[in-house]
C-alpha cells in the first residue's frame, strides 16, 4: 500500500512539474510572438547593438560568391555591408545582400547552435527567411524561420573584425540585438565623416542626437580573420 501511495504521489508531482513547464514555455512563446513587428522594406546596414562602429559584412563585397560567410567588420561604406530587407509573407522577410542578390542564409539549413550564417541563393527553404522581434531601444532580435526559432548572434558578443555571426538559441542578451541603420542615414553622414577622418587621422562622433554613426575606411579583401 505504501509503495502504491508513493508511486501515485510521485506521478502527481511529475505531472504538475510537466504542466508547469508546458505552461511557462507557452507563456514565453506567446510573449515573444506578441513582440514580432513589421519593419520597413529598404536598404540597411545591420549593426550590433554593442557598437555602431561595426556592421554585418560579406567578404569581397560585389565579388563574393555563394556560400561566403557573413562576419562582423568595421563600418566602411562599401557594398559589402548593404542589405535589402524584403517582406516575403506575413511576418517573414528575406535579407538580401544588395550587390550580389544572394540572401542571408543558415549554412546547410543546420538548425543548431553555432551554425554558420552565409549568403546563398533564395531556394525557398526556411533557412532563407527571418522575422524581427522588438528588443526595445531601437534594436531587434532577428529570428530564423527554422523550427528551432534560433536567432542571429554575435559570437561571444565581441566586436572585432572577422568575428563570427552565428545561429543560437533564442535569447535577448546584447549579442542577439541588432540595429537597422537605413542606407540614407549612412549616405548623409559619410561625406562629412570622411573629411574629418582625413584631417584628424581618426574618427570619433560625439553627436548625441545620432548615436549610430559610421567612420570612413577602406574595405580590404582578404583581411578578414576567423575567430
Amino acid at each position: 500500500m505504501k509503495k502504491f501511495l508513493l508511486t501515485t504521489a510521485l506521478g502527481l508531482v511529475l505531472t504538475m512539474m510537466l504542466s508547469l513547464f508546458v505552461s511557462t514555455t507557452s507563456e514565453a512563446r506567446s510573449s515573444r510572438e506578441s513582440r514580432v513587428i513589421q519593419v520597413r522594406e529598404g536598404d540597411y546596414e545591420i549593426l550590433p547593438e554593442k557598437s555602431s562602429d561595426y556592421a554585418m559584412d560579406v567578404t569581397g563585397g560585389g565579388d563574393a560568391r555563394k556560400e561566403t560567410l557573413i562576419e562582423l567588420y568595421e563600418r566602411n561604406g562599401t557594398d559589402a555591408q548593404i542589405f535589402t530587407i524584403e517582406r516575403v509573407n506575413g511576418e517573414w522577410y528575406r535579407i538580401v545582400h544588395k550587390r550580389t542578390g544572394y540572401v542571408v542564409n543558415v549554412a546547410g539549413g543546420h538548425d543548431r547552435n553555432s551554425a554558420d550564417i552565409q549568403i546563398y541563393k533564395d531556394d525557398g527553404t526556411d533557412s532563407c527567411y527571418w522575422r524581427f522581434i522588438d528588443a526595445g531601444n531601437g534594436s531587434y532580435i532577428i529570428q530564423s524561420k527554422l523550427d528551432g526559432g534560433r536567432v542571429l548572434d554575435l559570437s561571444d558578443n565581441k566586436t572585432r573584425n572577422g568575428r563570427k555571426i552565428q545561429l543560437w538559441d533564442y535569447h535577448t542578451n546584447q549579442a542577439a540585438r541588432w540595429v537597422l541603420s537605413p542606407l540614407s542615414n549612412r549616405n548623409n553622414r559619410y561625406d562629412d565623416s570622411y573629411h574629418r577622418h582625413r584631417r584628424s587621422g581618426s574618427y570619433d562622433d560625439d553627436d548625441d542626437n545620432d548615436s549610430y554613426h559610421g567612420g570612413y575606411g577602406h574595405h580590404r579583401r582578404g583581411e578578414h580573420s576567423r575567430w
Side-chain angles (χ1 to χ4, degrees):
M1 185 64 177
K2 289 183 178 180
K3 184 176 181 180
F4 172 76
L5 291 174
L6 181 61
T7 301
T8 301
L10 182 59
L12 288 172
V13 170
L14 291 175
T15 300
M16 291 175 64
M17 290 178 64
L18 179 60
S19 176
L20 179 61
F21 172 77
V22 171
S23 176
T24 302
T25 302
S26 178
E27 289 176 6
R29 185 180 298 112
S30 177
S31 175
R32 185 190 313 167
E33 296 284 340
S34 69
R35 288 164 35 218
V36 173
I37 62 175
Q38 293 185 3
V39 300
R40 180 173 296 182
E41 295 179 285
D43 295 339
Y44 294 90
E45 292 173 296
I46 304 177
L47 320 176
E49 185 186 71
K50 182 176 182 179
S51 173
S52 59
D53 293 327
Y54 291 82
M56 287 189 188
D57 180 282
V58 177
T59 307
D63 298 323
R65 298 181 178 182
K66 182 178 65 176
E67 300 182 348
T68 300
L69 296 184
I70 297 173
E71 301 173 325
L72 200 70
Y73 203 84
E74 291 173 286
R75 290 176 76 186
N76 48 51
T78 68
D79 292 342
Q81 299 177 352
I82 302 174
F83 295 88
T84 303
I85 294 177
E86 299 177 348
R87 187 177 175 188
V88 177
N89 183 31
E91 62 195 15
W92 297 103
Y93 295 77
R94 63 181 197 156
I95 304 173
V96 185
H97 183 231
K98 187 174 178 65
R99 183 69 183 271
T100 62
Y102 292 128
V103 301
V104 175
N105 168 278
V106 181
H110 297 307
D111 191 14
R112 65 191 183 201
N113 286 345
S114 202
D116 290 330
I117 305 299
Q118 63 181 8
I119 55 171
Y120 198 75
K121 64 180 181 181
D122 184 354
D123 57 10
T125 64
D126 288 349
S127 61
C128 294
Y129 305 124
W130 309 85
R131 66 180 180 180
F132 298 86
I133 297 174
D134 184 9
N137 298 320
S139 298
Y140 301 91
I141 307 295
I142 304 177
Q143 185 179 38
S144 171
K145 194 177 182 181
L146 291 171
D147 288 341
R150 291 180 170 85
V151 299
L152 288 183
D153 173 274
L154 174 59
S155 177
D156 295 325
N157 199 28
K158 301 291 187 182
T159 49
R160 297 175 183 171
N161 287 343
R163 200 68 185 180
K164 180 178 180 178
I165 307 296
Q166 62 188 3
L167 201 66
W168 203 263
D169 285 334
Y170 182 91
H171 67 92
T172 60
N173 297 331
Q174 192 179 52
R177 292 172 176 257
W178 302 93
V179 173
L180 304 180
S181 179
L183 188 60
S184 56
N185 286 359
R186 190 193 69 174
N187 288 340
N188 289 339
R189 299 188 63 81
Y190 262 96
D191 287 343
D192 181 54
S193 65
Y194 167 73
H195 292 301
R196 280 188 286 165
H197 175 82
R198 290 292 296 273
R199 286 198 304 265
S200 66
S202 63
Y203 175 65
D204 182 23
D205 190 333
D206 58 0
D207 182 356
D208 294 335
N209 295 321
D210 187 359
S211 59
Y212 289 97
H213 61 277
Y216 182 91
H218 295 286
H219 186 74
R220 295 179 290 272
R221 291 183 59 196
E223 287 194 0
H224 284 51
S225 59
R226 302 289 295 134
W227 291 81

